[in-house]
Amino acid sequence: MKSTDRIIKDIRYYEIKPKDFTGDFNGIIGNVYQITDDTNSIGQRIARKLNEFEFISGEFDHIYINFTENLKLGNLVESEKILDKRIKYVDYGIEPKTFNSLTEFEKNQLVKDVTFKSLTLLFEKDNEKIEKIIEVENLLNKFETEIEIAYKTKETNSYKIEIGYMINPKKTLSKIVVKYFDKKTETQHKTTKELYFYEDIFYLINKIEVKNEKIIFSHKKTNLGEIATAKYERPIEIEITKMERNNIH
């Protein structure tokens, strides 16, 4: 791994201003192309699942996909534009009226499809990366909005804790997913906690400890950590006996 190599962090969608557009235009998708509630979450889920697999994207760790009518329908082109080395741009050809005439399901399907095609375009010469992209595509097709992204684990002789998150599953708030495996009783316990934004998990769960039948997550004590977690109860405490329980067979 080169020192300039980064692991992918985010995939976002933008739009190129149509020639006949009047009024304010900020370039973020949603002005001209009528997106769904899930559009932006699709890119986040794909990027964060690839991030979990430590997918090295190169000097850039953000991919911005621009929807534009200046390309033929369905064409995908790696953009020459470099405003920041950490961002790679891909242009995708579709007219606003074509996109806007689709159903919500069709729009989500198209955005998913365009995202994986963009990734394939950028990494087509690297078979190992293509395999990871296909793996994430298969997982996304299987679990859809409820795809879980692993975040942290803690293991001792008596228990194992796995923490993951879901980004806006079924149009609801994002969720922390906590799984507790009790090695003595061979039981698995599971629960979820709501997140206002999925990124909050990175600040909310810094240290993990178990005492008095409770799992306790302490937050990051940095300035940013204090701001990001201010709207939550801190520390987060989860009573193990109140978690959903299953026997491990």
Side-chain angles (χ1 to χ4, degrees):
M1 184 169 165
K2 299 202 290 286
S3 59
T4 53
D5 280 348
R6 294 189 169 96
I7 293 171
I8 194 165
K9 279 190 177 158
D10 204 357
I11 296 170
R12 297 183 196 180
Y13 308 102
Y14 289 83
E15 49 189 31
I16 308 278
K17 189 153 130 183
K19 296 174 196 67
D20 56 359
F21 186 85
T22 53
D24 290 334
F25 187 85
N26 63 5
I28 295 167
I29 201 164
N31 296 290
V32 183
Y33 294 86
Q34 291 152 16
I35 55 171
T36 75
D37 291 343
D38 205 44
T39 301
N40 290 309
S41 301
I42 293 168
Q44 290 166 345
R45 287 184 202 114
I46 295 167
R48 296 312 308 182
K49 195 67 190 172
L50 284 166
N51 180 278
E52 178 199 321
F53 291 164
E54 300 193 332
F55 185 94
I56 294 164
S57 41
E59 255 195 305
F60 59 93
D61 54 13
H62 285 60
I63 296 169
Y64 290 179
I65 300 169
N66 293 311
F67 282 49
T68 177
E69 58 180 16
N70 306 333
L71 285 175
K72 245 179 43 202
L73 177 63
N75 276 15
L76 267 179
V77 179
E78 187 178 335
S79 173
E80 299 296 309
K81 182 160 83 169
I82 298 176
L83 296 178
D84 180 333
K85 280 184 180 166
R86 296 187 70 158
I87 302 168
K88 172 66 77 180
Y89 296 89
V90 176
D91 294 339
Y92 169 68
I94 187 166
E95 289 192 347
K97 66 171 186 287
T98 308
F99 183 81
N100 296 342
S101 68
L102 300 172
T103 64
E104 182 178 356
F105 175 80
E106 288 167 339
K107 285 178 182 177
N108 290 342
Q109 212 46 48
L110 180 135
V111 168
K112 216 190 296 187
D113 198 39
V114 167
T115 309
F116 283 112
K117 281 181 174 160
S118 299
L119 286 161
T120 306
L121 173 75
L122 294 174
F123 302 104
E124 60 191 351
K125 294 183 178 73
D126 191 323
N127 289 340
E128 209 176 301
K129 289 195 171 121
I130 294 294
E131 275 174 26
K132 281 187 181 177
I133 292 164
I134 292 167
E135 189 179 348
V136 170
E137 187 170 16
N138 290 338
L139 286 167
L140 197 72
N141 287 336
K142 184 178 176 184
F143 296 105
E144 298 186 338
T145 65
E146 294 173 284
I147 189 169
E148 265 182 49
I149 298 138
Y151 175 52
K152 268 182 193 256
T153 54
K154 179 173 183 177
E155 189 163 10
T156 67
N157 291 334
S158 53
Y159 66 79
K160 182 182 184 183
I161 296 171
E162 289 179 358
I163 297 155
Y165 58 98
M166 291 186 219
I167 299 172
N168 302 115
K170 292 186 172 173
K171 294 187 188 173
T172 60
L173 282 174
S174 294
K175 288 183 170 62
I176 299 173
V177 182
V178 184
K179 293 173 187 164
Y180 176 84
F181 303 92
D182 188 322
K183 293 180 180 179
K184 290 181 189 140
T185 59
E186 291 195 347
T187 51
Q188 176 185 337
H189 307 253
K190 184 180 173 180
T191 195
T192 60
K193 288 262 179 206
E194 289 188 331
L195 285 166
Y196 297 112
F197 302 104
Y198 83 86
E199 296 102 321
D200 292 347
I201 192 172
F202 308 139
Y203 303 100
L204 268 173
I205 301 177
N206 188 32
K207 286 205 187 87
I208 306 163
E209 51 183 342
V210 175
K211 56 181 182 198
N212 306 329
E213 289 298 297
K214 279 184 188 168
I215 302 168
I216 300 160
F217 301 135
S218 50
H219 70 286
K220 274 193 176 157
K221 304 290 198 288
T222 58
N223 286 346
L224 203 52
E226 295 293 350
I227 294 163
T229 61
K231 49 195 174 299
Y232 297 92
E233 260 184 50
R234 305 173 307 192
I236 292 176
E237 295 191 357
I238 295 167
E239 288 185 46
I240 295 165
T241 53
K242 289 186 179 169
M243 295 170 82
E244 191 185 308
R245 174 182 162 154
N246 294 301
N247 290 327
I248 304 166
H249 299 299

